[in-house]
Amino acid sequence: MSKKVVVVYHSGFGHTARQAEHVFNGVAAVDGVDALRVSVENVDAHWDDLAAADAIIFGAPTYMGSVSAPFKAFMDASSKVWFTQGWKDKLAAGFTNSASQSGDKLNALLQMMVFSGQHAMVWVSLGLPPGNNASTGSVDDLNRIGSYAGAMAQSNADEGAEAMRESDLKTAEHLGRRVAEMALRMG
Ligand SMILES: Cc1cc2nc3c(=O)[nH]c(=O)nc-3n(C[C@H](O)[C@H](O)[C@H](O)COP(=O)(O)O)c2cc1C
């Protein structure tokens, strides 16, 4: 039977949605894994899909150093699942996007990591070496922001989602692929 991986995300202005699309593409590229992408705005139609998932990948823009409010509303709504520990032992992973190089976006990933722990899920890290941290490095490196906890992207505040860097989108794809491969290894 195929494995199921759901990408659940929020995006106010399209940047994190584009990142989510690439995470989804990474999942979908792995044979034997079904991928689904759900915006938190539509999550009420998808609680059963989340219950059936082998892995859930969380994504939110960093707003005010935290996950965005609509994503937090989804987190709070999931407390109904928490009561029955319905996501116990599923894989979890996360991605975030913000305007600044840091912008405190690690905090958003840490919020997702703690959240997955509350649900007794198993957190999957990014699994890439840091890029762009040597004289030979460049912004085109995979994992150019140098995250370990999950996939990060940086989008200039005055540009739309179409201007996002390929390196960030490939990093997002990598995360999706890695989680899908891990789901297959879970047997
Ligand atoms: C309310 C709000 C708060 C923000 N706070 C941060 C922040 O703390 N750090 C940062 O680097 N960028 C911050 N930004 C910029 C967004 O993270 C950035 O524009 C991002 O690309 C938006 O993603 P989205 O298009 O998926 O909503 C903020 C933007 C908004 C609208």
Side-chain angles (χ1 to χ4, degrees):
M1 215 169 66
S2 63
K3 297 289 182 180
K4 293 181 173 37
V5 178
V6 180
V7 179
V8 58
Y9 71 95
H10 169 250
S11 178
F13 306 92
H15 302 83
T16 315
R18 188 154 185 228
Q19 195 182 15
E21 183 187 325
H22 284 260
V23 173
F24 171 89
N25 291 345
V27 174
V30 177
D31 285 344
V33 178
D34 294 334
L36 178 67
R37 189 169 23 137
V38 176
S39 161
V40 292
E41 274 111 16
N42 305 321
V43 75
D44 281 341
H46 291 284
W47 290 108
D48 288 348
D49 291 313
L50 292 171
D54 298 283
I56 305 174
I57 308 179
F58 305 112
T62 300
Y63 288 174
M64 303 315 290
S66 306
V67 294
S68 56
F71 191 83
K72 182 60 167 64
F74 155 71
M75 288 167 70
D76 291 358
S78 80
S79 60
K80 288 201 182 97
V81 179
W82 175 87
F83 275 112
T84 59
Q85 288 287 281
W87 294 349
K88 186 171 189 298
D89 296 342
K90 294 183 192 302
L91 298 181
F95 60 93
T96 189
N97 161 71
S98 84
S100 298
Q101 299 294 325
S102 164
D104 295 328
K105 62 186 152 228
L106 174 61
N107 190 53
L109 288 183
L110 293 178
Q111 285 179 298
M112 294 175 199
M113 195 190 291
V114 169
F115 172 63
S116 75
Q118 291 216 341
H119 278 290
M121 300 171 83
V122 180
W123 186 259
V124 178
S125 63
L126 179 61
L128 280 174
N132 197 24
N133 66 351
S135 59
T136 52
S138 96
V139 291
D140 297 324
D141 291 349
L142 217 53
N143 192 21
R144 68 175 173 121
I145 315 283
S147 175
Y148 296 93
M152 290 182 175
Q154 180 271 327
S155 304
N156 291 332
D158 59 349
E159 291 183 325
E162 70 289 345
M164 288 176 77
R165 281 200 181 272
E166 272 307 302
S167 49
D168 289 348
L169 299 176
K170 286 191 179 136
T171 301
E173 259 171 55
H174 167 90
L175 181 73
R177 211 165 38 246
R178 172 167 160 86
V179 172
E181 285 166 356
M182 288 292 177
L184 289 174
R185 280 170 66 171
M186 293 289 278

